Amino acid sequence: MLELDIRGVSQDIIGSENGLNIQAEFENYKTQIADIVSDLYKRKDTPGEGLQWMNLGYSQETSWYVKEYAALVENRFDNILVLGIGGSTLGGIAITHALLKPYWNLLSKEQRGGYPRIFFLDNVDPDDINGLLDIIDLKKTLVNVITKSGDTTETMAQYMIIKDRLEKELDDDYRKNIIVTTDKKTGILRQISEQEGYKTFVVPDDVGGRFSVFTAVGLLPFALVGINIDEITAGIRDLDAQLKNTNIYENIAAQNALIHYLLDTKYGKDITVLMPYSEKLKFIPDWFTQLWAESLGKNKTIEEKPIKAGPTPIGAIGARDQHTLMQLFNEGPNNKVINFVRIGEFDTTLDIPQIFQYTGIGYLGGKTVNNLINAEADSTQATLIDYSRPTITIKIPKVDGYHIAQLLYMLEMQTAITGALYNINTFDQPSVEQTRNYTYGLMGRIGYEGSAKALHDKLEYV
Ligand code: PA5
């Protein structure tokens, strides 16, 4: 099970100017937290509340469809190519990188257990797209187009390019190489899929993009490359049983939510750092960045009162970023909460050979790289404590589907509870829509002429 070590934010450890009296704060907020948690669970099935992601651990139907399709296409493709952006791809990238063997796409088919390579296109950089198309054989590629809205500019541009090439290479058969994950009824891509006869999967109602990793958005690509999705859903269910608990002393998501909220609003610590000590977890901060930023960055409360909510998320990777960011974290503005993610047991052990006697490096010989990365994390935390910086450690016993799912689900619940503490709408993203509208206008989409004009008027003076 996931564990949270919050001692590093205590004022007994880092002093009362920067640290919390944890016991007193838990007592002060225990009723409010209990109300927030029970309210979330009460509302989770109500349409329009955006809380269906809380049910995904229990959604056997999706798992069944996904596994059935994955079995059907087993051995038929060399590559999976996922097209999407934001919440449609970040979770997939983070979890496949965590759970597949390192350097997966460079392994032979046998080393991959017969499963395909997996690529994600999540941008519209021409060099990157052309580069990928140069190296993969589209005829042997299953393309999964993922977009909840069904008309996201970047994803649709990618889709149009790939569809055109596939059609040229495969004639009418190209349809077998495209599968779509989108809303069950609305959106242009739903319409196209029906006309074209693509196999489709659904992003359920009331699951926002950034909360959608445990729908078919993530589960389908995972199953296609042989990741056990039952382990993932089991992890969520088991943690959910704990996160239902309205008692703050028993609920790690509520604890971390309250700590971040208080450190921001009372102590000005408005930057949240997520720092896994693991290469396998290196894309989890990217996923978390979207979750935390789009959910909490809001300028009005539920009652439409002005507010400037939202700690800024920053990703870092240990031990590497000890050599990039840590000087700033230690001696720069004391406005950050550093969340370490530590793993109990690595999959392998790597010995450092005893080949030199020099005092400067000889001490390393006979130790393991496992000892080293753990020592680096301990030393970094100790130094941050020396500088009175708040730290939290999220511990996962090992990097497997069960625990990775728990890590992401805990961060989702933490985000929902933090949003409720700020009293904001955690589940909308109005300013992202505004940028979309300007882009539609600039690219000539009918009906968005007003957005194009407004944009030209504005940029004339910049
Ligand atoms: O969280 C969200 O809803 C967004 O960030 C979306 O994930 C992102 O904009 C992509 O949208 P769509 O899945 O509709 O293509």
Side-chain angles (χ1 to χ4, degrees):
M1 226 21 145
L2 216 60
E3 283 174 41
L4 190 71
D5 185 341
I6 55 175
R7 288 171 297 174
V9 299
S10 162
Q11 55 180 229
D12 299 340
I13 308 277
I14 56 169
S16 55
E17 267 179 48
N18 295 292
L20 299 173
N21 181 337
I22 296 175
Q23 177 68 29
E25 297 294 6
F26 280 11
E27 279 303 304
N28 290 340
Y29 279 86
K30 69 178 183 195
T31 313
Q32 191 180 345
I33 288 290
D35 289 346
I36 289 173
V37 174
S38 75
D39 180 58
L40 284 169
Y41 277 91
K42 240 181 254 156
R43 288 189 295 121
K44 76 185 168 76
D45 296 316
T46 310
E49 297 287 347
L51 292 171
Q52 273 297 327
W53 53 271
M54 293 172 70
N55 290 321
L56 296 174
Y58 307 91
S59 166
Q60 287 182 351
E61 209 185 341
T62 308
S63 297
W64 190 86
Y65 279 125
V66 159
K67 283 191 283 186
E68 190 204 34
Y69 181 75
L72 193 76
V73 295
E74 206 170 311
N75 292 319
R76 277 200 15 218
F77 297 98
D78 287 352
N79 310 302
I80 305 299
L81 171 58
V82 179
L83 311 181
I85 199 160
S88 289
T89 43
L90 287 166
I93 295 170
I95 292 193
T96 52
H97 187 82
L99 298 182
L100 295 176
K101 283 186 191 161
Y103 304 101
W104 179 258
N105 287 346
L106 299 180
L107 302 178
S108 68
K109 193 168 180 182
E110 291 67 44
Q111 288 167 321
R112 285 186 267 115
Y115 288 105
R117 289 182 281 260
I118 184 159
F119 300 90
F120 291 83
L121 273 184
D122 69 340
N123 207 343
V124 281
D125 177 328
D127 296 338
D128 183 62
I129 299 174
N130 276 325
L132 182 65
L133 293 176
D134 283 347
I135 60 160
I136 59 171
D137 180 355
L138 276 182
K139 289 196 285 301
K140 295 184 183 151
T141 301
L142 179 63
V143 181
N144 184 191
V145 193
I146 308 181
T147 164
K148 181 178 165 64
S149 61
D151 66 358
T152 298
T153 313
E154 296 87 347
T155 309
M156 294 314 279
Q158 296 164 351
Y159 160 69
M160 286 155 82
I161 294 162
I162 307 280
K163 185 223 177 225
D164 182 55
R165 301 226 180 172
L166 267 174
E167 201 168 356
K168 284 180 179 136
E169 294 199 26
L170 287 169
D171 292 325
D172 268 0
D173 267 354
Y174 78 92
R175 293 186 178 87
K176 294 186 191 135
N177 289 43
I178 298 180
I179 52 176
V180 164
T181 310
T182 191
D183 187 85
K184 68 174 178 299
K185 279 204 228 102
T186 62
I188 301 166
L189 193 59
R190 167 59 59 189
Q191 209 179 312
I192 295 175
S193 303
E194 273 157 26
Q195 280 157 11
E196 293 269 308
Y198 298 149
K199 171 82 185 163
T200 60
F201 294 84
V202 167
V203 189
D205 291 343
D206 286 311
V207 182
R210 56 191 176 273
F211 289 87
S212 69
V213 58
F214 301 122
T215 67
V217 166
L219 296 185
L220 179 59
F222 303 157
L224 290 169
V225 289
I227 290 172
N228 182 340
I229 61 172
D230 291 334
E231 262 181 38
I232 290 183
T233 46
I236 306 169
R237 279 196 304 278
D238 289 355
L239 184 65
D240 188 58
Q242 289 190 8
L243 301 186
K244 272 189 182 97
N245 198 324
T246 56
N247 177 354
I248 187 161
Y249 292 94
E250 309 281 334
N251 185 327
I252 56 174
Q255 291 174 7
N256 219 18
L258 180 63
I259 287 168
H260 282 84
Y261 170 74
L262 291 175
L263 286 173
D264 174 24
T265 53
K266 288 194 174 175
Y267 295 80
K269 304 200 189 302
D270 57 4
I271 295 183
T272 307
V273 179
L274 188 69
M275 185 167 186
Y277 270 75
S278 156
E279 275 300 299
K280 285 191 162 190
L281 303 190
K282 78 173 171 193
F283 294 117
I284 304 275
D286 290 353
W287 169 85
F288 174 71
T289 294
Q290 187 208 14
L291 178 74
W292 200 239
E294 276 191 3
S295 302
L296 303 182
K298 301 290 155 67
N299 65 8
K300 55 176 185 289
T301 64
I302 299 279
E303 293 83 20
E304 309 250 317
K305 294 205 183 97
I307 185 177
K308 289 208 168 9
T312 302
I314 294 189
I317 305 297
R320 189 176 51 233
D321 286 324
Q322 292 172 203
H323 299 267
T324 62
L325 292 163
M326 207 44 73
Q327 171 64 29
L328 171 74
F329 290 177
N330 284 324
E331 292 193 9
N334 194 343
N335 58 353
K336 302 167 195 73
V337 186
I338 290 107
N339 289 257
F340 294 108
V341 183
R342 301 273 306 263
I343 56 179
E345 203 188 308
F346 288 85
D347 292 348
T348 59
T349 303
L350 182 58
D351 296 322
I352 306 174
Q354 276 174 311
I355 52 174
F356 289 119
Q357 301 306 323
Y358 301 108
T359 323
I361 56 168
Y363 66 93
L364 287 170
K367 312 285 177 7
T368 65
V369 176
N370 311 51
N371 301 143
L372 179 58
I373 194 164
N374 286 327
E376 301 251 18
D378 288 342
S379 313
T380 301
Q381 187 173 21
T383 313
L384 285 161
I385 291 170
D386 289 342
Y387 284 95
S388 303
R389 311 285 149 143
T391 56
I392 289 162
T393 303
I394 304 168
K395 295 184 188 167
I396 42 175
K398 67 195 304 270
V399 178
D400 57 21
Y402 183 86
H403 294 104
I404 289 299
Q406 293 194 338
L407 173 64
L408 271 62
Y409 188 63
M410 199 276 286
L411 292 169
E412 289 179 342
M413 281 299 297
Q414 175 186 318
T415 304
I417 298 169
T418 311
L421 285 163
Y422 284 108
N423 189 28
I424 53 166
N425 184 345
T426 311
F427 304 104
D428 67 357
Q429 57 282 325
S431 79
V432 178
E433 307 304 331
Q434 192 168 330
T435 310
R436 275 183 189 231
N437 293 343
Y438 281 139
T439 308
Y440 291 151
L442 269 189
M443 297 298 284
R445 180 169 168 175
I446 293 171
Y448 290 84
E449 298 77 4
S451 299
K453 185 176 175 320
L455 179 140
H456 284 302
D457 291 349
K458 263 181 252 288
L459 292 191
E460 208 176 310
Y461 302 102
V462 176

